[in-house]
Amino acid sequence: MANDSNQMLDAWAEQNDYKWGFVTDIESETLPPGLDEDVVRAISARKKEPQWLLEWRLKAYRHWLTMDEPDWAHFPDHDWRPIDYNGISYYSAPKSDDDRPKSLDEVDPKLLETYEKLGIPLEERAALAGVAVDAVFDSVSVATTYREKLAEVGVIFCPISEAVHDHPELVQQYLGRIVPPNDNFFAALNSAVFTDGSFVFIPKGVTCPMELSTYFRINSLNTGQFERTLIIAEEGASVSYLEGCTAPMRDENQLHAAVVELIALDDASIKYSTIQNWYPGDENGKGGIYNFVTKRGLCEGDRSHISWTQVETGSAITWKYPSCILKGHDSIGEFYSVALTNMKQQADTGTKMIHIGRNTRSNIVSKGISAGNGQNTYRGQVKIRPKATNARNYTQCDSMLMGDRCGAHTFPYIEADNDTAIVEHEASTSKIGEDQIFYCNQRGISSEDAVSMIVNGFCREVLAELPMEFAVEAKKLLEVSLEGSVG
Amino acid sequence: MLQITNLHASVEGTEILRGIDLTIPSGEVHSIMGPNGSGKSTLARVLAGEETYEVTEGSITLDGEDLLDMDPDERACEGLFMAFQYPVEIPGVSTKYFLRAAVNAVRAHRELSELDAYEFLQLVKEKAQALALDTSLLDRSVNEGFSGGEKKRAEIFQMAMLDPKMCVLDETDSGLDIDALKVVSDGVNALRDGNRSFLVITHYQRLLNYIVPDVVHVLVNGRIARTGGKELAQLLEAEGYAGIEAESGVANGA
Ligand SMILES: Nc1ncnc2c1ncn2[C@@H]1O[C@H](COP(=O)(O)OP(=O)(O)O)[C@@H](O)[C@H]1O
Ligand SMILES: [Mg+2]
């Protein structure tokens, strides 16, 4: 990188004193595109990080340089535009209030229409569309009330950049333990340049008194493309965390490479729900997010329980395998997934269940829906280690096709190294029937409503895992994503 | 009143219905009988608006409104109901949920207010009582794993819930034992109210002992070969279709 851009970086990193980090960063700007050690240093400096974290990032970065971008999951006939890692800006803070729309009138009506269809309340729509927050409502006070309530029971829920300062011992102890920086290409990249994400700590014996949702941290809606989330549930603790909002991002081929780490100690339980609706690109496959995410949970303690639920409807390409390492005896891992691909979207998703402890159980339910020219792949691995006596796995993998230009693929890998293991796998592929739609029509139900009804029925076991409000949103999202896919 | 005039319809270029004229005044029960392959189900599906069938000539009106101009869901909202010979399964969608969506779609079309969950359940109760049908099926997915009899009962129940003007029943008797047949016919008879019309399609005369028609038509090779009173059905039962086929000058499948 040229000298003057180095100076620019330094100046950028120094501007504005660190106050509340995240919240006051709203005024800040975007780092120029490109990636080298100076960029990593600049990000770390910008966040006033301790030395150990800078070293950690640099190590990840240096390792990343030695790695190759994976290319195993995409389909040859889909136009893959290589990612130019030097064409990406690695720090993109929210726009300053001057640049934001002042009211809903200034927002793209198409975007608003989508929000409306999703049933998002008016104030929230404005926030999602990036209307200056104080013009809508005071998000800081919302977040604060929320946080105070949690603090009463000892729950920590804050941006990870803040946790680095306020709870350094916890962050240092757990960061990268479950997804090490050298785990894979995108995890290494994330470790080097992550800008924010959530930190959750539930102390011993505490049941988190409310669903934790990124929604309550309005400003996190604009977090960069490299989120880092860490959730720790101590002995006997339990928490349900909801991630993602339904805001479509109108960006071109942007890379989104998040890392999520969960750890559950004895008798702890973590339920992690995601609704992913990043911009999918257009009918011709132009634009859209590359969603390459590493999510992994460690059931470290006996009788611990980690459950992943995801509804993936967005992104041009998704590669994502939320996994569970079932180390504690009698621990349970679950994965419930709906992935919908329309237009030229590709989703390659599934899970890994690694059974290490005795009497460990895992349950996998995957529902893939393909429409338009969409490609949908379930890729899963169930591994029973030699000492995992009496391990059980049940996998159910259903695909639904709409039309004849789309595809569904299933790759279940099973490796059982203990004779007492019972591993069951069921799979089905069906076509959404003209006869089903006609039957609904004959009862007065429009084709569009019929399709969403049939699809929701197909996904019911997964939707049932979502917290109530999320389930409603997910249903609407499936509806909107399928709009116009039947004649 | 349903009025079908010179109706021709084909599938993939093959003409199946070859000029049908049929008028069913309000409140009447008409039956269509005929040998297998004569086009009975085709007629029902053309009435309901299934796309596979191309209407090449003729017209269909319901109370003066042009049905051929409407999409299938619009026809349903206008009061046309068809009980399917083979009702399809919709896994994961409870019958109750499905029916509420249907009832509210039809009500919206008729500019009636949407029924909330409570009002809907009241309506379910009322209709179930009137038809002496039990409602346990309503909590299961639409037609999923239903026995033949359960499927037909569910169709009749849906018919009652949607309050149609014109009911088309396509071989509702097929695959039913005598007890199920009685339950289904009692349901239909309970819905006869002097205004609602019925087109009862059947291959066998047996059903017509329970649902007594005002008029019987015999469909042979895509045309109505003969029309008469309920005694025509008994005649067919005794003599079979061969006589009418010969008389109408077209061998089946010609
Ligand atoms: N979807 C279809 N595709 C091709 N042929 C069809 C289709 N539906 C009906 N037919 C043909 O039309 C004729 C009449 O069929 P149908 O209306 O089912 O008779 P019925 O109900 O009187 O037994 C038969 O020869 C049948 O094979
Ligand atoms: Mg038939």
Side-chain angles (χ1 to χ4, degrees):
Chain A
M1 190 175 284
N3 258 345
D4 44 292
S5 70
N6 272 335
Q7 279 167 359
M8 215 174 119
L9 279 177
D10 288 342
W12 178 85
E14 293 307 322
Q15 76 181 348
N16 295 343
D17 282 341
Y18 174 79
K19 290 172 201 142
W20 269 80
F22 205 62
V23 176
T24 49
D25 270 350
I26 277 172
E27 292 286 324
S28 62
E29 284 143 34
T30 299
L31 203 54
L35 183 53
D36 58 17
E37 289 202 4
D38 290 328
V39 168
V40 176
R41 286 176 202 280
I43 291 169
S44 189
R46 187 79 186 77
K47 300 203 158 280
K48 307 275 188 232
E49 284 175 354
Q51 190 63 25
W52 73 263
L53 189 49
L54 173 61
E55 295 300 336
W56 193 86
R57 285 178 182 275
L58 287 170
K59 206 173 148 197
Y61 173 70
R62 288 169 196 147
H63 193 87
W64 178 74
L65 288 175
T66 69
M67 300 174 98
D68 288 324
E69 184 184 62
D71 65 351
W72 47 275
H74 61 261
F75 291 86
D77 59 339
H78 187 98
D79 25 323
W80 164 266
R81 281 164 306 282
I83 300 167
D84 172 11
Y85 293 93
N86 279 313
I88 295 173
S89 165
Y90 289 85
Y91 188 97
S92 177
K95 281 183 186 166
S96 79
D97 285 355
D98 293 343
D99 297 340
R100 293 163 172 238
K102 300 288 173 295
S103 73
L104 278 175
D105 301 339
E106 293 175 34
V107 175
D108 179 2
K110 242 176 107 184
L111 193 65
L112 291 178
E113 199 183 306
T114 310
Y115 292 158
E116 197 179 334
K117 280 185 197 141
L118 293 173
I120 296 171
L122 191 70
E123 325 77 72
E124 204 180 327
R125 271 182 240 164
L128 292 177
V131 175
V133 163
D134 58 1
V136 187
F137 62 92
D138 184 359
S139 72
V140 181
S141 71
V142 171
T144 312
T145 342
Y146 196 63
R147 245 196 246 182
E148 274 167 7
K149 210 169 158 190
L150 292 173
E152 276 170 30
V153 289
V155 170
I156 304 167
F157 177 38
C158 66
I160 199 161
S161 57
E162 221 175 285
V164 167
H165 294 276
D166 297 348
H167 311 283
E169 66 304 330
L170 284 173
V171 176
Q172 198 167 2
Q173 185 184 350
Y174 289 107
L175 189 71
R177 237 195 91 190
I178 301 144
V179 180
N182 60 1
D183 188 82
N184 66 67
F185 183 84
F186 295 109
L189 180 61
N190 174 287
S191 302
V193 302
F194 75 90
T195 41
D196 228 316
S198 294
F199 176 81
V200 177
F201 175 81
I202 317 288
K204 209 167 171 170
V206 170
T207 298
C208 188
M210 62 186 86
E211 312 262 4
L212 298 184
S213 141
T214 45
Y215 161 56
F216 283 92
R217 272 183 37 214
I218 300 292
N219 46 11
S220 78
L221 296 177
N222 290 317
T223 3
Q225 316 113 14
F226 302 98
E227 298 150 54
R228 184 101 200 178
T229 294
L230 176 57
I231 300 180
I232 303 150
E234 284 197 329
E235 291 84 351
S238 79
V239 62
S240 167
Y241 181 88
L242 318 177
E243 162 199 62
C245 66
T246 55
M249 302 235 313
R250 305 267 153 193
D251 292 305
E252 299 256 301
N253 283 143
Q254 201 184 359
L255 172 64
H256 178 84
V259 170
V260 176
E261 299 176 276
L262 312 181
I263 179 158
L265 305 188
D266 286 352
D267 299 294
S269 104
I270 301 175
K271 185 175 170 65
Y272 193 106
S273 313
T274 304
I275 292 190
Q276 184 268 110
N277 183 34
W278 303 118
Y279 182 51
D282 67 11
E283 293 79 1
N284 305 314
K286 190 171 175 297
I289 302 280
Y290 291 164
N291 185 37
F292 304 150
V293 174
T294 307
K295 291 183 166 174
R296 196 172 301 153
L298 172 63
C299 281
E300 177 147 271
D302 293 346
R303 297 166 304 278
S304 56
H305 185 172
I306 288 179
S307 175
W308 300 99
T309 304
Q310 61 175 27
V311 175
E312 305 277 327
T313 61
S315 298
I317 302 177
T318 294
W319 296 346
K320 182 181 170 190
Y321 315 92
S323 305
C324 296
I325 302 166
L326 304 171
K327 191 172 160 216
H329 302 308
D330 300 287
S331 61
I332 301 174
E334 290 174 297
F335 174 74
Y336 299 96
S337 170
V338 169
L340 182 153
T341 53
N342 199 354
M343 300 186 291
K344 286 207 160 179
Q345 287 174 274
Q346 291 179 23
D348 193 303
T349 186
T351 183
K352 283 186 197 169
M353 294 290 176
I354 317 289
H355 292 252
I356 300 172
R358 289 187 306 272
N359 305 321
T360 47
R361 279 181 288 146
S362 63
N363 194 23
I364 300 171
V365 179
S366 160
K367 305 278 180 174
I369 301 149
S370 320
N373 291 298
Q375 294 291 337
N376 216 316
T377 301
Y378 169 79
R379 195 183 299 273
Q381 185 182 41
V382 176
K383 203 170 188 161
I384 315 281
R385 291 279 182 80
K387 288 188 178 151
T389 313
N390 289 325
R392 299 278 178 275
N393 163 266
Y394 174 72
T395 301
Q396 185 193 334
C397 220
D398 299 319
S399 310
M400 179 181 266
L401 299 168
M402 300 177 63
D404 41 25
R405 284 172 293 134
C406 53
H409 318 269
T410 306
F411 302 106
Y413 304 98
I414 298 167
E415 231 175 277
D417 294 323
N418 184 305
D419 291 343
T420 59
I422 298 181
V423 178
E424 285 174 86
H425 179 92
E426 278 179 37
S428 79
T429 300
S430 59
K431 243 183 149 127
I432 194 165
E434 292 294 322
D435 54 343
Q436 286 175 322
I437 296 171
F438 180 66
Y439 185 79
C440 295
N441 286 162
Q442 213 303 302
R443 300 303 187 249
I445 298 166
S446 70
S447 296
E448 229 160 56
D449 289 349
V451 168
S452 80
M453 192 185 278
I454 295 163
V455 166
N456 278 315
F458 174 72
C459 301
R460 78 190 175 289
E461 295 129 292
V462 175
L463 298 178
E465 290 296 320
L466 288 172
M468 180 84 134
E469 294 133 68
F470 244 39
V472 172
E473 207 163 297
K475 280 183 188 173
K476 291 201 175 120
L477 190 56
L478 290 172
E479 229 163 82
V480 170
S481 307
L482 283 172
E483 229 162 56
S485 54
V486 282
Chain B
M1 182 171 79
L2 180 76
Q3 190 145 23
I4 302 173
T5 313
N6 189 32
L7 182 68
H8 290 254
S10 29
V11 181
E12 290 156 9
T14 307
E15 187 162 73
I16 313 280
L17 302 183
R18 313 197 303 163
I20 290 188
D21 292 287
L22 177 65
T23 301
I24 307 180
S26 295
E28 289 193 5
V29 177
H30 287 219
S31 172
I32 290 215
M33 299 186 70
N36 282 328
S38 58
K40 302 185 297 295
S41 291
T42 301
L43 176 60
R45 287 175 168 266
V46 167
L47 285 172
E50 193 175 320
E51 270 179 13
T52 335
Y53 302 91
E54 193 197 350
V55 174
T56 51
E57 223 183 309
S59 70
I60 308 173
T61 60
L62 181 61
D63 289 346
E65 303 280 340
D66 183 4
L67 276 191
L68 293 178
D69 217 28
M70 301 177 198
D71 286 336
D73 47 330
E74 211 182 334
R75 298 184 196 197
C77 289
E78 282 290 326
L80 180 85
F81 184 95
M82 171 166 89
F84 284 74
Q85 183 170 2
Y86 305 107
V88 300
E89 303 187 352
I90 309 181
V93 177
S94 88
T95 306
K96 213 177 252 171
Y97 181 87
F98 172 81
L99 249 182
R100 196 171 145 209
V103 166
N104 280 330
V106 169
R107 286 179 67 91
H109 184 84
R110 295 175 190 166
E111 292 177 356
L112 295 168
S113 66
E114 199 169 284
L115 296 185
D116 63 25
Y118 177 78
E119 293 165 324
F120 174 75
L121 286 181
Q122 288 304 110
L123 184 67
V124 164
K125 233 186 238 170
E126 179 196 318
K127 298 290 180 188
Q129 243 157 34
L131 271 64
L133 288 169
D134 82 87
T135 53
S136 57
L137 291 175
L138 295 181
D139 292 317
R140 290 167 53 186
S141 293
V142 177
N143 295 317
E144 196 184 28
F146 287 17
S147 70
E150 286 171 334
K151 281 185 181 165
K152 300 298 168 75
R153 275 201 289 141
E155 291 289 284
I156 302 303
F157 187 71
Q158 292 187 34
M159 185 162 100
M161 290 292 292
L162 291 176
D163 195 22
K165 293 191 236 182
M166 177 73 225
C167 305
V168 180
L169 288 81
D170 189 9
E171 302 224 16
T172 297
D173 51 333
S174 68
L176 295 191
D177 62 27
I178 202 76
D179 293 328
L181 188 65
K182 269 189 194 148
V183 173
V184 165
S185 327
D186 288 348
V188 171
N189 288 328
L191 292 173
R192 291 175 79 159
D193 63 357
N195 287 317
R196 188 173 284 131
S197 318
F198 293 83
L199 181 60
V200 180
I201 294 173
T202 181
H203 181 74
Y204 300 104
Q205 182 266 344
R206 185 179 71 153
L207 176 67
L208 304 181
N209 291 333
Y210 300 93
I211 304 173
V212 181
D214 299 301
V215 182
V216 175
H217 309 273
V218 183
L219 190 66
V220 176
N221 210 18
R223 282 201 191 99
I224 290 178
R226 205 193 283 183
T227 294
K230 59 176 184 282
E231 62 295 337
L232 180 56
Q234 276 136 22
L235 184 82
L236 285 171
E237 180 74 356
E239 299 180 359
Y241 292 108
I244 294 183
E245 273 167 1
E247 177 188 308
S248 65
V250 275
N252 193 16

